[in-house]
Amino acid sequence: MLLQIVQVLLNIVWWIIVIQAVLSWLIQFNVINTHSDFVRAVWNALYRITEPLYRPFRRILPDFGALDLSPLVVLLILYILQNIVIPRIAIMIAGAAF
């Protein structure tokens, strides 16, 4: 049960990062702008959610200018957690139950 909740939360974080990436591209290519109150509110909310996840990796990764690889690193870690770590923990818990 607890592992399923963790899986759902990791999935939500994954989608938040993807939505933020798409929104940043739309802002960069001037498809939408931050003069809209709604866009600005969504952008600020996504920034506040994701910045604590990105910050440790931004300190480690080299500066590539406008290219920020920290979302990609976080998505990779989320993938590893969801598809390797959590299933193995579930198998260990199931094995310990018998």
Side-chain angles (χ1 to χ4, degrees), residues 59-91:
R59 287 188 208 133
I60 298 169
L61 293 172
D63 185 15
F64 290 110
L67 182 61
D68 184 13
L69 296 179
S70 57
L72 182 63
V73 172
V74 172
L75 287 176
L76 179 63
I77 291 171
L78 289 174
Y79 177 83
I80 291 169
L81 286 172
Q82 285 182 308
N83 295 306
I84 297 172
V85 175
I86 292 177
R88 289 188 184 194
I89 292 172
I91 290 170

Side-chain angles (χ1 to χ4, degrees), residues 6-63:
V6 171
Q7 281 278 49
V8 168
L9 291 175
L10 291 176
N11 199 23
I12 290 170
V13 171
W14 188 88
W15 278 108
I16 288 172
I17 292 171
V18 169
I19 291 168
Q20 184 192 30
V22 170
L23 186 61
S24 73
W25 295 334
L26 293 174
I27 290 171
Q28 288 295 323
F29 292 117
N30 222 6
V31 175
I32 58 175
N33 61 42
T34 55
H35 297 297
S36 165
D37 289 337
F38 177 74
V39 172
R40 190 176 332 109
V42 170
W43 180 250
N44 286 334
L46 292 174
Y47 176 80
R48 288 184 178 156
I49 292 170
T50 58
E51 183 58 26
L53 297 172
Y54 298 158
R55 193 176 306 125
F57 301 106
R58 286 184 177 147
R59 287 188 208 133
I60 298 169
L61 293 172
D63 185 15

